Amino acid sequence: MKIATWNVNSIRARADRLEQWLLRSDVDVVAIQETKASDENFPWDLFEKNGYEVAHFGLNQWNGVAIASRVGLDDVERTFVDQPHFGKIEDEIHAEARAMAATCGGVRVWSLYVPNGRAIGDPHMPYKLQWLDVLKNHAIAWLQEDPEAQIALCGDWNIAPRDEDVWDIDLFRREGYTHVTDEERAAFHAFEEAGFIDVVRPYHPGPGTYTYWDYTQLRFPKKQGMRIDFVLASPALANRVSGALIDREERKGKGASDHAPVIVELD
DNA sequence: ATGTCCCTGACACAGGGA
């Protein structure tokens, strides 16, 4: 069985490439982030005509997550319990469309689009950290409840856990960029301390291994990327992993997302 | 090649997000 995670940066703009990628990659499950679509304009047919069931959670043009599966799609859950909100007091406050889960082929798959902290000192940064903290507490509870649970926390984590996960850590430090701060890294490592394992890194160690390249500044041809998309597997699921792929080919050419798909193979 | 891309509102391009 193959499980993938991919930030598509608009599922409508990516429809043709996504369909070709489904045919080529032969994945059984894909957790999708940043659909930038509401449920009303989500391309349901794209999945159904290729043999996938699909569930989507989208409220407007921002965020949006989906899970497609050809090995079952059960117990769909939209947002996690007590998912932090973001909004000014005077605005309508709602939980953003950044998290959903489904059980696919016996695996509890989460599609996660972790908030972008935007900038150090920006209110989106404590929102990001709080969002991760609440999710981490759930992750701990899930494993306490069932140590053998097969859980895949898939998504765009918007964190580069190690210095080698960005092309120039000195630049990030000098400019005070996000994604590499101690606080963000601690929030990520808390999942590892809870027992979840980055199952891709052992197959594709760094330095120079990335999953995202900014559209600007010729970042992709210059090989200036960031490793921010991860599949964190529970211990029982990690034991089944037999391979992994960062599909860098999919970042090439016209109409590519700025993120590459990340694929995990299970025995 | 791959020297931003994508969305919306509204009809041209500004504004917002990444």
Side-chain angles (χ1 to χ4, degrees), chain A residues 2 9-10 60-61 71 102 105 158 169 180 185 194 202 212 223:
Chain A
K2 289 193 210 174
N9 185 11
S10 172
N60 49 40
Q61 73 269 42
V71 290
N158 270 318
I169 189 62
V180 297
R185 287 179 171 178
Y212 162 85
K223 305 186 189 308

Side-chain angles (χ1 to χ4, degrees), chain A residues 8-259:
Chain A
V8 296
N9 185 11
S10 172
I11 199 157
R12 286 171 289 167
R14 220 63 62 211
D16 290 344
R17 284 189 67 133
L18 174 54
E19 184 166 17
Q20 292 308 308
W21 178 81
L22 282 175
L23 294 169
R24 180 171 79 251
S25 65
D26 198 39
V27 296
D28 297 289
V29 182
V30 56
I32 296 169
Q33 300 87 40
E34 257 203 299
T35 62
K36 290 188 169 179
S38 60
D39 288 344
E40 288 69 30
N41 53 26
F42 184 82
W44 305 96
D45 290 351
L46 186 160
F47 295 93
E48 289 159 4
K49 73 183 181 189
N50 287 291
Y52 292 84
E53 295 177 83
V54 65
H56 177 244
F57 174 33
L59 299 169
N60 49 40
Q61 73 269 42
W62 307 122
N63 316 306
V65 286
I67 299 174
S69 170
R70 60 183 188 191
V71 290
L73 188 75
D74 300 314
D75 300 318
V76 174
E77 192 176 348
R78 289 173 174 80
T79 74
F80 51 83
V81 174
D82 295 326
Q83 182 178 314
H85 299 178
F86 186 90
K88 295 172 184 158
I89 293 168
E90 62 268 29
D91 292 344
E92 182 187 1
I93 294 178
H94 61 77
E96 295 179 311
R98 293 180 175 276
M100 69 178 302
T103 300
C104 308
V107 179
R108 190 63 177 163
V109 177
W110 280 89
S111 182
L112 304 166
Y113 181 38
V114 175
N116 187 310
R118 298 196 180 188
I120 295 170
D122 188 289
H124 287 84
M125 183 60 82
Y127 168 53
K128 175 182 193 172
L129 298 173
Q130 178 69 10
W131 197 96
L132 286 164
D133 189 60
V134 174
L135 178 62
K136 177 262 297 175
N137 289 334
H138 286 306
I140 290 171
W142 295 330
L143 286 186
Q144 282 177 342
E145 190 177 313
D146 178 8
E148 296 303 310
Q150 302 204 31
I151 305 169
L153 304 178
C154 305
D156 174 0
W157 292 72
N158 270 318
I159 296 172
R162 300 187 187 179
D163 286 355
E164 68 178 31
D165 295 337
V166 298
W167 80 93
D168 185 348
I169 189 62
D170 293 334
L171 174 70
F172 276 64
R173 295 273 179 251
R174 195 162 62 240
E175 298 294 329
Y177 290 161
T178 60
H179 294 59
V180 297
T181 66
D182 291 344
E183 291 79 6
E184 290 165 288
R185 287 179 171 178
F188 184 88
H189 290 316
F191 287 86
E192 297 178 313
E193 287 157 13
F196 286 80
I197 298 157
D198 172 359
V199 292
V200 175
R201 192 183 294 271
Y203 292 94
H204 298 282
T209 301
Y210 309 122
T211 65
Y212 162 85
W213 299 260
D214 197 298
Y215 284 125
T216 67
Q217 309 287 125
L218 282 174
R219 293 295 185 216
F220 185 65
K222 289 179 180 172
K223 305 186 189 308
Q224 297 177 336
M226 302 168 69
R227 189 202 290 257
I228 56 175
D229 300 272
F230 297 96
V231 176
L232 297 190
S234 63
L237 185 65
N239 285 338
R240 292 179 55 196
V241 174
S242 58
L245 171 70
I246 298 171
D247 192 356
R248 196 177 166 281
E249 291 300 306
E250 183 53 39
R251 180 63 180 79
K252 297 180 179 177
K254 186 173 176 61
S257 170
D258 41 4
H259 294 252

